[in-house]
Amino acid sequence: MQNAQVTADGACIRWVELPGRPGTSRTRVYLHGLGASSGPYFTASAVHPLLADSRSLLMDLLGFGISDRPTDFGYTLEEHADAVAAALKAADAYDSDVVAHSMGGAVAIVLAARHPQLVARLVLVDANLDPVAPDPARPGSSGLARYTEEEFLAGGMEEVRDRVGPHWWATMRLAGPEALHRTAVHLARGTTPTMRELLLDLKIPRTYLRPRDNGPLPGQESLIENGVRVVAVPDCGHNIMLDNPEAFAKETAPAVDA
């Protein structure tokens, strides 16, 4: 496990680092989704024969997993991206391939826009591209965003636990409550310009993996016209790398070798 201080108050991001094949000079960074942790979600992919060539950093965003959980951090997508940037610089991880799931994909887009020297290729795994309205019927960011922070700390997190089920809760329970709620609120609110608009403006190789059974990705034609490779992955849900690891590796390998 490695770590880097990413705030003036000393909060650290931590990651599990895999060396890759001898002589490799490339770095691949994995970023998890909301309430998740990169180790449980990405280890099998990082060591898959198609993806094990590069040095791999399985990084937990500030407030989640094995990273620190400061309560005085804003947890906007921009702040998350800047914290990841500080960790990558400390790890001497420039021109990296960034593979990012869901909320982590939104952070990765902002990272690439704000710190272009750090991101050479981008693979988004069913990532958030647009703002969403708070929706109590959904367990993700829109469901969490319906609470005020006071409501969430006073009992909302326990209500979320009962809705998301034991698999997601296994990593969600590691998140700082403030981190989880503030990140969900900012994810639902999105960025200005939006994550989608930032993605369209990037000039690096970009791939978007989506579950085939979910139907066409909204705005897919515009993404393709602007050079984003959109891939429909069969036999999976939102957690593509866990549901169909072989297809995930098969489609990610050419994306990071582009």
Side-chain angles (χ1 to χ4, degrees):
M1 183 173 65
Q2 306 293 327
N3 71 90
Q5 180 179 327
V6 297
T7 71
D9 293 334
C12 289
I13 277 181
R14 296 182 179 85
W15 63 92
V16 173
E17 184 162 336
L18 304 175
R21 297 196 178 105
T24 183
S25 60
R26 293 174 56 185
T27 300
R28 190 163 301 137
V29 180
Y30 293 88
L31 299 178
H32 59 82
L34 184 69
S37 172
S38 287
Y41 278 74
F42 280 117
T43 297
S45 298
V47 301
H48 190 283
L50 292 175
L51 296 173
D53 56 327
S54 295
R55 171 196 184 204
S56 295
L57 312 183
L58 282 65
M59 186 168 287
D60 281 351
L61 298 171
L62 202 63
F64 296 88
I66 58 176
S67 291
D68 287 343
R69 308 184 296 176
T71 58
D72 57 350
F73 191 71
Y75 295 102
T76 66
L77 298 180
E78 294 84 356
E79 287 172 312
H80 272 302
D82 290 347
V84 170
L88 294 180
K89 292 174 182 177
D92 194 27
Y94 293 84
D95 292 321
S96 297
D97 305 328
V98 179
V99 181
H101 178 232
S102 196
M103 176 271 291
V107 172
I109 293 168
V110 179
L111 172 70
R114 291 169 71 90
H115 304 276
Q117 75 277 23
L118 297 175
V119 184
R121 301 171 186 83
L122 193 58
V123 179
L124 304 173
V125 187
D126 208 21
N128 300 69
L129 299 181
D130 304 298
V132 295
D135 182 354
R138 302 183 64 183
S141 59
S142 60
L144 273 67
R146 75 180 180 91
Y147 296 95
T148 67
E149 184 166 313
E150 292 74 18
E151 290 170 341
F152 190 73
L153 298 179
M157 191 165 180
E158 286 71 24
E159 294 176 4
V160 169
R161 174 199 62 200
D162 296 337
R163 290 203 304 271
V164 301
H167 182 86
W168 195 0
W169 182 250
T171 54
M172 188 179 288
R173 65 185 177 183
L174 303 177
E178 295 87 357
L180 182 60
H181 180 263
R182 292 175 196 171
T183 299
V185 168
H186 289 296
L187 180 62
R189 187 177 298 161
T191 57
T192 304
T194 66
M195 296 85 78
R196 181 183 295 271
E197 292 168 330
L198 292 173
L199 177 63
L200 292 177
D201 284 342
L202 294 175
K203 306 306 179 186
I204 58 175
R206 296 147 295 161
T207 295
Y208 191 104
L209 306 181
R210 65 172 183 84
R212 186 174 66 185
D213 292 346
N214 286 3
L217 180 69
Q220 178 171 305
E221 296 80 4
S222 177
L223 293 174
I224 295 172
E225 289 172 1
N226 283 271
V228 180
R229 174 177 171 255
V230 179
V231 180
V233 182
D235 303 321
C236 66
H238 180 55
N239 297 320
I240 298 174
M241 58 285 191
L242 299 180
D243 296 338
N244 193 340
E246 288 300 319
F248 176 81
K250 179 181 177 182
E251 299 297 348
T252 299
V256 295
D257 287 335

